[in-house]
Amino acid sequence: MIERNGYPTDVTDEQWALIEPVIAAWKAARPSATGNVSRYSMRAVVNAIQYQNRAGCSWSLLPNDLPPYWTVKYFFYQWRDDGLDATICELLRTRVRERAGRTEDPSLVVLDAQSVHAANNVPAATTGKDPAKRVPGRKHGIAVDIMGLIIAVVVVAACVHDNQVGTALLSKVAAATSSVKTALVDQGFKTAVVEHGAELGIDVRIVERNPRDAGFVPQPIRWRVEQTYGTLILQRRLTRDYESNPRTTESRLYWAASTIMLRKLTGTAAPSWRGA
């Protein structure tokens, strides 16, 4: 038997120690009805999810030295439906903020939406065409703190107006923490988002672009969300929206964000785009 050498996307011992208690608690709360114990470790399942996110492959193309794709798929969907992906992301976010000398939860967030092309297998009922950017597919909305760490994710058809994305994100932010008092958005978001924020006790400020600026000019603080999008897209599974269910895309965004934060917390360099 050939010894498994592992992949650059595998979690290290130090990284696994950060998330293992959460996954172990989830598994302990759901004992097998037959008493059977899975022959595959939860760490191996996480390795497979991270590999797929980075490589962008389909389920059936997962390497043979990782758990069978049907096993990985089962746990991925279970964790998605139980919100474990978001729980892990939130745990890591608070730890990254604490390490930076900040409070666990932010007082300011930045919202944005990005339209992404959808693959051919994605149901037409959950996609649309962004009239402004002329992108047929889905719209990925995220709320990040001043460090660019994800707090909330929303995935809808690309034809959905930014107002709906913004209000949904604000609702998720308010449900996750009561500390947020200010939200910055770009000019794609309108009065409806401002009014919804006021109802939640969040002051939504529309950051207007200077009309004299030519090309892309980073806006103070708001550029953090652009940086986050640029980092997330290094996960090849996110370069297009391949998922039949928008919630699956949300889960992949949470896992991608968790991967980034695990590296921040352990001082691990990300594999290069060309090298991995």
Side-chain angles (χ1 to χ4, degrees):
M1 180 180 292
I2 300 176
E3 183 179 354
R4 181 176 186 272
N5 293 323
Y7 300 99
T9 51
D10 286 357
V11 291
T12 65
D13 291 343
E14 191 178 1
Q15 290 171 351
W16 177 241
L18 292 170
I19 62 174
E20 190 273 338
V22 181
I23 296 177
W26 176 90
K27 201 169 189 307
R30 294 160 183 78
S32 170
T34 61
N36 293 333
V37 178
S38 174
R39 57 183 289 198
Y40 302 103
S41 71
M42 295 298 94
R43 180 172 177 173
V45 172
V46 172
N47 285 341
I49 292 172
Q50 294 206 144
Y51 177 94
Q52 188 185 39
N53 252 17
R54 177 68 190 207
C57 66
S58 63
W59 289 111
S60 60
L61 290 179
L62 283 173
N64 292 331
D65 58 351
L66 290 170
Y69 78 86
W70 54 85
T71 299
V72 181
K73 195 174 183 180
Y74 169 79
F75 282 108
F76 178 87
Y77 288 146
Q78 285 291 309
W79 293 342
R80 177 200 67 184
D81 295 342
D82 289 347
L84 191 70
D85 46 12
T87 298
I88 290 173
C89 186
E90 181 180 4
L91 169 69
L92 296 175
R93 174 179 60 80
T94 58
R95 292 198 175 185
V96 172
R97 286 182 59 84
E98 286 179 337
R99 178 166 291 190
R102 297 180 179 274
T103 57
E104 285 189 2
D105 294 315
S107 59
L108 180 146
V109 294
V110 185
L111 314 183
D112 202 5
Q114 179 188 63
S115 293
V116 180
H117 286 272
N120 292 335
N121 65 292
V122 177
T126 63
T127 64
K129 187 172 183 178
D130 184 334
K133 300 176 182 176
R134 300 180 182 178
V135 174
R138 287 206 179 118
K139 189 170 285 186
H140 299 175
I142 61 174
V144 305
D145 65 10
I146 199 169
M147 297 179 68
L149 307 177
I150 286 183
I151 299 173
V153 172
V154 170
V155 176
V156 295
C159 58
V160 173
H161 196 279
D162 284 357
N163 276 346
Q164 291 178 251
V165 177
T167 54
L169 283 171
L170 286 174
S171 294
K172 282 195 171 186
V173 168
T177 173
S178 60
S179 65
V180 174
K181 302 303 178 185
T182 307
L184 303 183
V185 299
D186 66 17
Q187 292 174 279
F189 297 85
K190 307 300 180 184
T191 307
V193 180
V194 177
E195 293 174 348
H196 185 66
E199 293 173 3
L200 298 172
I202 300 175
D203 177 22
V204 179
R205 302 175 184 175
I206 299 176
V207 180
E208 297 187 0
R209 174 187 169 88
N210 188 332
R212 292 175 294 181
D213 290 339
F216 173 72
V217 178
Q219 302 296 318
I221 304 179
R222 266 210 74 255
W223 69 271
R224 289 289 188 181
V225 73
E226 304 290 351
Q227 182 187 52
T228 300
Y229 274 126
T231 306
L232 291 172
I233 210 67
L234 293 176
Q235 306 289 320
R236 288 183 173 92
R237 188 78 181 198
L238 296 176
T239 56
R240 277 182 179 267
D241 199 317
Y242 294 96
E243 315 305 337
S244 298
N245 186 340
R247 257 297 286 131
T248 302
T249 304
E250 290 183 19
S251 185
R252 292 204 177 277
L253 286 162
Y254 281 126
W255 278 111
S258 293
T259 298
I260 295 167
M261 289 187 288
L262 281 172
R263 293 194 182 117
K264 285 180 180 291
L265 288 167
T266 58
T268 309
S272 68
W273 181 272
R274 290 187 174 89

